[in-house]
Amino acid sequence: MNTFSSKTFLRFKFAGDPQIDPSGNRIAFTLSHSNEKQDGYDKSIYMYDGNLFQFTKGPSDSSPRWSPDGKEIAFISASKDEKGSNLMSIRSDGGESVKIAHFDDQITDLAWLNSNELILSVALKAKRKSKNEGPKDDVHEIEKIPFWSNGEGFTYDVKVQLYLVGKNGTKKCLTKERGDIFTFAPSPDGKNVAFVEALDLEHNPLVSDLFVLKIGFGEPKKITNSDVSVGNICWSPNSKEMAVAISDLKHGSFTNERLWITNLNGNFTKICDVDLAKGNSINSDSRGGSPNKIFWRDSGIYFMMTDGPLSKIYKFFDGKVSEIINGERSVSGFNVAPNGNIAFLSMNFTSLDELYLYKNGKEKKISRLNDLRNFSISVPEHFDVISSDGKKIDAWIMKPTDFQKGKKYPTILEVHGGPRTAYGNAFFLEFQMLTSNGFAVLFSNPRGSDGYGEEFSYIHGAYGKRDYKDIMEVVDEAIKRFDFVDEKRLGITGGSYGGYMTNWVVTQTDRFKSAVSQRSISNWVSFFGTTDIGYFFGPDQLGGDPWSNPGGYAEMSPLTYVKNVKTPIMFIHSMEDYRCYMVEAFQFFTALRYLNKEAKLALFPSENHELSRSGKPYHRIKRLDLILDWFKKHLEI
């Protein structure tokens, strides 16, 4: 049997963005894989029409969208030879793709308006005034926040606008919005396009509004009142109403969205009051990208929710919400045909995303993209932990693949990011690599996690308190319940919030003999002022800002307690991580070395916050190797 290593990643294929045709029988989706020679990825569109096959050549094709008559598929393509992106089209029965239009800027999404026109969202970058002579003007003159965004770089001079593009290549900009457009949806009758826009990302970043633009007739109409956060939207089949995911922001970003129906006059009716996240919050380091959408068909309104460690597809019909696609797995993305057939991708603990077709109440597995039957796989064992205040915490432990009864094993505690995400039934190469190398792996969903309701996730102003207690009580229960856990050889790692918690843990206890902190936060004050979300995430999560709440920011910052650290710790950070800027690792590392404590800093150039999920192949492999080597060194394996 094969074992997992960092380089196993090179054989994986990542499926994403499933799109089902109007007949409900054919499915287009994206498939990407690493290109080791070029240290990048090749992505193309695949088709299922009874057989599964590659449909476009790639190497950079994405966002397939069926025309209303099912005769064409439009998609986005990028070329190394030219700046920007191309809108492409290909007949659904095959042939060569043709370029419809080119944009010097990035096309971010597309949708058919009718059989001859499409709506595109395009991230337009302001053009600098050119000079006939002298040096190039490369100075960034910035007058607002946020000025950069993780994965995108400087965005202070970028605005997303909607375009109407004809199949003949004609282009017309439909909007002149001063805010930030996040998503859009054309009406089925082709007369309107709805979109969601944050009008003031600088001063009111959690608030977004629903707008409807009647194509060819003036300015967009504002439907909401700038007092909520609008998420995903979709139109009714008759184009008279919309289904909208809305958060009333009662608990800030901790608030779960509810589903509403509205007409074009803004008369809202709530249809789903379930206190769960509307989408998939389950973590994985081995997933392709899929948009989170709502679909309104004659058979009902379809949407996803995260329910504990599972993500499922639900349907609202005749006043009731029911589960349609469930089971011990994580649904990564889906699409619904007019007749109610569903194309979806799902993964579990032992399998990467595969393609499924749900038809006539039954589902069929379409693909076997990643065959892991010849691998020794460690299957997580679930156990409940009752916290000291009486809450049930979901936890899992994975045995080493060479497990021998009576033997004790070094155990790695993994802490997820967010904090409003969750661990669940999804594949993790990092976990499998560790268990293939003699480690047990422990993970859980402590307070702050998504999928358990707002109250469970609400750790406002209490970072490092109840969440920390939950995690430590999970460790205590694991040691008590599983005699193979070696409490003298414990390690801890996590990324983003998980990196914050790793930093926090090593300042509060010395029970862990090794730690790896990834894309972390060490100082909430510097996080506030250097990142793309810090200026609103800090106040939302901690309460106040560094000037109105200096004590709270210091109290919840691991850097404050750096003198307590006894655990050898390695910091892994991307140099273009604008979500948690690299100064977070710099400060903690510098303080530890100044205090003559064991620490290591690994910096990854040209990478961002998504290093573990979409970084360059070499860097993803290197990151895993660093983690493994650090734990082997310090946990005596």
Side-chain angles (χ1 to χ4, degrees):
M1 297 289 282
N2 296 320
T3 58
F4 290 95
S5 72
S6 60
K7 290 189 176 180
T8 306
F9 152 78
L10 296 172
R11 63 179 289 163
F12 287 166
K13 298 176 181 178
F14 306 104
D17 202 358
Q19 300 288 319
I20 195 164
D21 83 322
S23 74
N25 295 312
R26 296 179 294 173
I27 305 168
F29 65 101
T30 60
L31 194 69
S32 62
H33 60 87
S34 60
N35 184 323
E36 188 176 11
K37 184 177 181 180
Q38 296 185 7
D39 197 24
Y41 298 90
D42 292 338
K43 179 185 283 189
S44 56
I45 296 168
Y46 274 62
M47 173 79 78
Y48 170 76
D49 63 0
N51 295 302
L52 189 65
F53 57 96
Q54 185 173 347
F55 191 62
T56 66
K57 296 178 180 179
S60 185
D61 300 336
S62 63
S63 306
R65 302 291 183 262
W66 293 90
S67 62
D69 58 13
K71 294 181 179 180
E72 295 177 75
I73 295 175
F75 62 96
I76 301 170
S77 186
S79 170
K80 294 181 179 179
D81 300 326
E82 59 182 343
K83 177 184 175 183
S85 50
N86 296 314
L87 173 64
M88 309 291 292
S89 178
I90 185 172
R91 287 185 55 86
S92 61
D93 59 1
E96 292 294 321
S97 59
V98 296
K99 184 191 298 186
I100 295 177
H102 173 78
F103 286 83
D104 288 339
D105 299 291
Q106 184 64 41
I107 303 170
T108 58
D109 201 0
L110 71 157
W112 289 86
L113 181 66
N114 52 54
S115 292
N116 294 304
E117 296 174 304
L118 299 100
I119 303 292
L120 276 63
S121 55
V122 183
L124 300 176
K125 188 173 181 66
K127 302 295 187 289
R128 290 182 178 237
K129 294 180 180 180
S130 61
K131 298 179 178 179
N132 294 326
E133 56 185 41
K136 178 183 178 181
D137 184 4
D138 57 359
V139 176
H140 294 278
E141 300 181 45
I142 303 170
E143 297 180 338
K144 66 173 186 176
I145 56 173
F147 50 83
W148 58 16
S149 179
N150 184 69
E152 299 176 40
F154 284 102
T155 54
Y156 65 92
D157 56 353
V158 175
K159 286 293 176 189
V160 173
Q161 303 292 355
L162 301 183
Y163 275 77
L164 177 66
V165 180
K167 283 170 55 177
N168 61 359
T170 58
K171 296 187 287 188
K172 179 182 179 182
C173 188
L174 295 176
T175 58
K176 296 180 180 179
E177 299 305 295
R178 304 179 109 186
D180 293 83
I181 296 175
F182 295 135
T183 188
F184 70 93
S187 60
D189 63 9
K191 295 180 180 180
N192 297 286
V193 58
F195 60 90
V196 177
E197 178 182 0
L199 294 174
D200 188 0
L201 204 56
E202 184 171 37
H203 299 108
N204 216 357
L206 295 181
V207 172
S208 55
D209 284 289
L210 173 64
F211 291 82
V212 174
L213 174 65
K214 190 173 183 180
I215 296 174
F217 294 90
E219 297 296 314
K221 179 181 180 180
K222 188 164 174 276
I223 306 298
T224 49
N225 298 315
S226 296
D227 55 1
V228 296
S229 175
V230 180
N232 289 309
I233 57 177
C234 71
W235 289 86
S236 62
N238 64 11
S239 299
K240 294 182 179 180
E241 296 177 297
M242 286 176 284
V244 188
I246 294 177
S247 165
D248 63 11
L249 298 173
K250 181 180 180 180
H251 299 120
S253 68
F254 294 97
T255 313
N256 282 323
E257 294 173 331
R258 271 60 175 179
L259 285 185
W260 299 72
I261 289 176
T262 181
N263 60 18
L264 300 188
N265 293 319
N267 298 315
F268 285 86
T269 301
K270 188 185 294 183
I271 63 169
C272 178
D273 198 29
V274 178
D275 184 20
L276 292 174
K278 304 303 180 286
N280 176 20
S281 301
I282 307 300
N283 285 280
S284 171
D285 62 359
S286 303
R287 180 184 278 139
S290 295
N292 176 29
K293 297 286 187 179
I294 305 172
F295 302 93
W296 192 336
R297 305 297 185 234
D298 291 335
S299 54
I301 298 172
Y302 297 80
F303 55 97
M304 279 201 296
M305 289 196 290
T306 298
D307 182 9
L310 311 171
S311 59
K312 308 172 183 177
I313 300 174
Y314 294 79
K315 181 175 77 171
F316 171 82
F317 182 71
D318 197 23
K320 297 180 181 178
V321 174
S322 57
E323 294 181 9
I324 301 299
I325 306 295
N326 50 28
E328 298 295 314
R329 58 186 172 188
S330 167
V331 175
S332 301
F334 78 110
N335 191 261
V336 185
N339 62 7
N341 291 356
I342 302 174
F344 69 96
L345 295 168
S346 76
M347 62 165 54
N348 57 37
F349 284 131
T350 60
S351 172
L352 281 76
D353 273 324
E354 298 290 350
L355 181 66
Y356 294 80
L357 175 62
Y358 176 87
K359 186 176 181 180
N360 300 323
K362 297 180 180 179
E363 66 178 68
K364 176 183 178 182
K365 185 176 182 180
I366 301 301
S367 68
R368 189 179 290 277
L369 302 170
N370 295 282
D371 191 349
L372 302 180
R373 288 176 293 183
N374 292 324
F375 278 81
S376 294
I377 298 180
S378 179
V379 180
E381 177 182 343
H382 176 266
F383 63 103
D384 291 333
V385 177
I386 305 303
S387 67
S388 54
D389 65 347
K391 295 290 185 180
K392 184 175 76 69
I393 308 298
D394 279 326
W396 296 263
I397 194 160
M398 299 168 68
K399 296 176 181 176
T401 53
D402 62 354
F403 177 78
Q404 297 176 26
K405 193 172 183 179
K407 184 178 178 180
K408 287 190 175 292
Y409 293 89
T411 301
I412 310 301
L413 173 66
E414 293 268 3
V415 185
H416 68 63
R420 284 202 68 198
T421 65
Y423 282 135
N425 289 47
F427 185 87
F428 256 97
L429 175 59
E430 180 178 324
F431 296 4
Q432 294 295 341
M433 179 196 71
L434 289 169
T435 60
S436 289
N437 283 274
F439 294 94
V441 173
L442 176 65
F443 56 100
S444 65
N445 288 333
R447 238 67 64 92
S449 300
D450 212 351
Y452 302 89
E454 291 174 16
E455 180 185 354
F456 191 92
S457 70
Y458 192 74
I459 56 171
H460 176 81
Y463 270 59
K465 296 179 181 179
R466 188 64 253 180
D467 49 353
Y468 170 70
K469 287 182 180 180
D470 284 352
I471 291 169
M472 291 303 99
E473 288 167 8
V474 165
V475 175
D476 292 340
E477 181 64 23
I479 292 170
K480 176 182 176 182
R481 186 179 298 208
F482 304 104
D483 59 8
F484 58 86
V485 174
D486 189 344
E487 64 179 312
K488 295 181 180 179
R489 291 190 292 165
L490 296 176
I492 182 172
T493 187
S496 196
Y497 166 80
Y500 163 83
M501 184 51 66
T502 299
N503 293 343
W504 182 264
V505 165
V506 298
T507 67
Q508 306 299 308
T509 178
D510 61 359
R511 72 190 302 184
F512 295 90
K513 304 309 176 187
S514 182
V516 179
S517 175
Q518 305 175 60
R519 56 189 188 279
S520 69
I521 297 170
S522 65
N523 179 355
W524 284 107
V525 175
S526 56
F527 173 79
F528 178 97
T530 61
T531 69
D532 57 355
I533 65 170
Y535 71 99
F536 67 86
F537 188 85
D540 177 65
Q541 300 289 303
L542 307 185
D545 53 45
W547 303 276
S548 63
N549 185 21
Y553 274 65
E555 181 186 358
M556 288 177 271
S557 292
L559 190 63
T560 301
Y561 315 97
V562 67
K563 285 187 176 182
N564 299 339
V565 176
K566 296 180 181 179
T567 304
I569 185 169
M570 175 171 63
F571 300 94
I572 293 177
H573 222 104
S574 297
M575 296 177 70
E576 295 178 12
D577 184 344
Y578 305 139
R579 184 63 36 86
C580 298
Y581 198 38
M582 59 183 172
V583 295
E584 298 303 311
F586 287 0
Q587 293 172 87
F588 212 42
F589 173 74
T590 298
L592 288 169
R593 294 306 301 154
Y594 175 80
L595 295 169
N596 202 30
K597 297 175 185 287
E598 184 177 357
K600 179 177 180 177
L601 176 63
L603 296 174
F604 286 75
S606 304
E607 297 289 2
N608 59 53
H609 201 65
E610 301 302 308
L611 167 62
S612 66
R613 296 178 282 253
S614 60
K616 294 176 182 177
Y618 171 75
H619 283 158
R620 289 176 76 169
I621 292 168
K622 179 68 173 180
R623 168 188 162 272
L624 289 171
D625 287 342
L626 283 169
I627 294 170
L628 182 60
D629 291 345
W630 186 259
F631 283 136
K632 281 185 173 181
K633 175 183 177 181
H634 292 93
L635 298 181
E636 301 173 8
I637 194 170

